[in-house]
Amino acid sequence: MSGDTSMSGDSNLGAGAPQAADPSEIPATPEMEAGQEAGSHQISDQGSDLAGQLVALKAEHEALNGQYMRLAADFDNFRKRQSRDSEDLRLQITCSTLGEILPVVDNFDRARQQLNPQHEEAQALHRSYQGLYKQLVDVFKQLGVSPMRVEGEPFDPSLHEAVLREPSEAHAEDVVIEELQRGYHLNGRVLRHALVKVSMGPGSGAVPAGPQAAENGQAEEQDG
């Protein structure tokens, strides 16, 4: 009997114990609602902060990218400018050096035109001289130097320097009659202007060209 009573008592105790509450069935209190609302506001604020940071990062990226593009453009312009300056300097040095050698070429050419060998020994010397002159001319060609052809061409102050002007029945005014000193190009650029005689057309009296001619003309007017 005592065993049955004990089991019955345990059963009654189990039946009388309170059951655990279901969280979903717990009514929301004002404090809980306030906490939930605060949490949602906090999440919203964090989202706004992230969006602001994203906008700021995008703006910074665009600014940095713009700086990079400007630096790249400036460097490219600097590189091109340095290349042009180096090329101009090289060309100036080449022009200066060749300009010093041109009088030697002029003297070779004058001597070549005046030589008229009669004997076999003189002819052999003349052939050697002609070979040396040809070698010099070939070197100039390889460097891009070419002589101007000016006779019969219209006078061009960018290519020619008029030393003398004289009347001519055969040529119109401002046409080159004679080449007094050969001019040269260097890869299309004027290496040395040609010294020329220029036609005044039909008339009388030769007139020196250049500043000296103008001074002479003014002196004659004053004397008159």
Side-chain angles (χ1 to χ4, degrees):
M1 291 292 292
S2 62
D4 294 339
T5 305
S6 175
M7 292 179 61
S8 175
D10 292 341
S11 176
N12 292 334
L13 288 175
Q19 299 293 324
D22 187 353
S24 62
E25 296 179 357
I26 298 175
T29 63
E31 291 79 3
M32 293 176 61
E33 293 179 353
Q36 292 176 355
E37 185 176 354
S40 64
H41 283 306
Q42 185 177 4
I43 293 174
S44 177
D45 291 342
Q46 290 178 351
S48 299
D49 291 342
L50 290 175
Q53 292 177 9
L54 179 60
V55 172
L57 288 174
K58 286 183 177 179
E60 184 179 0
H61 170 73
E62 291 177 358
L64 291 175
N65 188 59
Q67 291 179 2
Y68 167 76
M69 296 298 292
R70 287 191 295 271
L71 287 173
D74 290 342
F75 177 77
D76 188 56
N77 292 333
F78 171 77
R79 182 180 58 79
K80 291 179 179 178
R81 185 167 58 252
Q82 286 293 103
S83 179
R84 288 195 301 268
D85 291 345
S86 298
E87 180 63 22
D88 290 342
L89 180 60
R90 186 192 67 80
L91 189 58
Q92 290 176 9
I93 294 174
T94 302
C95 288
S96 177
T97 303
L98 293 177
E100 296 294 329
I101 300 175
L102 285 178
V104 179
V105 179
D106 294 336
N107 292 332
F108 261 93
D109 194 34
R110 294 190 190 100
R112 182 178 62 85
Q113 295 176 3
Q114 294 174 2
L115 288 176
N116 185 20
Q118 299 295 330
H119 303 290
E120 182 177 350
E121 183 178 352
Q123 289 178 358
L125 180 63
H126 179 61
R127 286 193 295 269
S128 299
Y129 175 86
Q130 292 284 40
L132 181 60
Y133 176 76
K134 182 179 182 302
Q135 183 179 2
L136 181 61
V137 171
D138 289 341
V139 170
F140 268 67
K141 287 181 179 179
Q142 292 173 6
L143 293 173
V145 179
S146 58
M148 296 182 186
R149 305 301 178 188
V150 299
E151 290 189 10
E153 297 293 328
F155 175 74
D156 185 350
S158 66
L159 303 175
H160 315 137
E161 182 178 343
V163 178
L164 187 66
R165 299 177 68 89
E166 68 179 24
S168 173
E169 299 293 335
H171 297 88
E173 186 177 3
D174 287 335
V175 172
V176 176
I177 302 174
E178 183 180 351
E179 178 187 68
L180 304 178
Q181 179 178 275
R182 181 164 295 176
Y184 290 89
H185 286 111
L186 174 61
N187 295 324
R189 176 175 178 171
V190 176
L191 177 60
R192 187 179 73 180
H193 289 74
L195 302 183
V196 298
K197 183 190 297 184
V198 182
S199 170
M200 296 172 59
S204 60
V207 178
Q212 187 63 38
E215 293 177 3
N216 294 339
Q218 292 176 358
E220 291 177 358
E221 290 180 359
Q222 292 176 358
D223 293 341

